[in-house]
Amino acid sequence: MRLLTRVLPLLLMASLLSGCGYNAIQQKDEAVKASWSEVLNQYKRRADLVPNLVQTVKGFASQEERVLTEVTNARSRVGQINVNADDPASLKQFQQAQGELGSALSRLLVVTENYPTLKSDANFRDLQAQLEGTENRITVARGRYIQQVQDYNTYIRSFPQLVTAKIFGYQPKPNFSVENEAQISNAPVVDFGTTPQQQPAPQPAH
């Protein structure tokens, strides 16, 4: 009898929590965390490619010191950030640093177009292929994260989950900014197999 009197309140509480969305909030919160881990994983993959890429380019185009330094410094700033995805300011700083690294890499790839020997190097082409694949995976991971956060935020703002979320301290999560969402909708184009077309030489005036 004593056991029954102890178990019944627990069962009742579990039933009430489930009906108020507590279990679903837990599941959605874990889904957001898992998606964020994948975002970090893919960004780290890109950062890990940078040192080898810089060293390879330097071997063929050491005179491009400014661009190489920009990439190295941007990669260093990324590594110094301890991001908290639940803090809007921290997430914004993280986005900015990753955006700077992406822009620096884009400028470096433009420069490499001027070095045919570098473009034909097997190691460089392998790094290019890895970078292209990583950029695509970053786009997919960020897109999934945005969807998971939107799903979570919508759920905890709806009734009756709204009450449960407030009782247990669940807050809406910040998401990638509008600029990043626009980038996500169009995956970065990393084209390593072509060279810029030559413009026709101007005709002499008659």
Side-chain angles (χ1 to χ4, degrees):
M1 189 66 179
R2 290 182 179 179
L3 179 62
L4 185 60
T5 57
R6 292 178 181 177
V7 171
L8 280 177
L10 293 175
L11 292 175
L12 179 60
M13 182 177 295
S15 176
L16 290 174
L17 288 175
S18 178
C20 293
Y22 179 81
N23 290 343
I25 292 174
Q26 297 292 313
Q27 293 168 359
K28 294 178 184 296
D29 185 50
E30 289 301 319
V32 170
K33 291 177 181 176
S35 295
W36 178 246
S37 294
E38 183 61 15
V39 169
L40 292 179
N41 181 49
Q42 297 306 331
Y43 273 126
K44 184 179 184 302
R45 183 192 297 267
R46 181 175 71 174
D48 288 344
L49 289 173
V50 170
N52 286 339
L53 183 63
V54 168
Q55 288 301 318
T56 301
V57 173
K58 187 182 294 185
F60 292 85
S62 58
Q63 62 269 35
E64 303 292 349
E65 182 178 353
R66 181 181 63 82
V67 180
L68 292 168
T69 300
E70 286 178 356
V71 173
T72 301
N73 290 342
R75 196 260 188 188
S76 177
R77 286 190 292 272
V78 164
Q80 293 171 0
I81 295 177
N82 293 316
V83 60
N84 176 8
D86 291 331
D87 178 13
S90 180
L91 182 59
K92 182 177 180 180
Q93 183 186 30
F94 174 80
Q95 290 178 234
Q96 182 177 356
Q98 294 292 351
E100 290 173 356
L101 177 56
S103 297
L105 284 170
S106 295
R107 289 191 292 272
L108 177 63
L109 294 174
V110 170
V111 166
T112 63
E113 295 292 337
N114 299 321
Y115 299 89
T117 305
L118 169 62
K119 286 174 63 64
S120 64
D121 178 72
N123 185 45
F124 180 67
R125 294 185 67 85
D126 179 62
L127 289 169
Q128 289 175 325
Q130 292 184 54
L131 182 59
E132 180 180 12
T134 300
E135 290 291 355
N136 290 333
R137 284 190 287 268
I138 287 173
T139 299
V140 172
R142 289 189 310 187
R144 288 175 179 169
Y145 180 73
I146 283 178
Q147 292 175 358
Q148 295 287 359
V149 170
Q150 289 176 341
D151 181 53
Y152 168 87
N153 286 344
T154 300
Y155 189 79
I156 69 167
R157 286 169 172 164
S158 302
F159 188 83
Q161 304 89 254
L162 173 65
V163 177
T164 305
K166 286 187 175 181
I167 291 174
F168 290 94
Y170 285 96
Q171 300 291 331
K173 297 179 182 292
N175 212 336
F176 285 107
S177 65
V178 175
E179 308 92 77
N180 276 72
E181 291 186 40
Q183 293 173 7
I184 289 167
S185 64
N186 297 287
V189 177
V190 187
D191 184 0
F192 305 111
T194 59
T195 55
Q197 293 183 350
Q198 295 293 328
Q199 297 295 325
Q203 298 296 322
H206 293 290

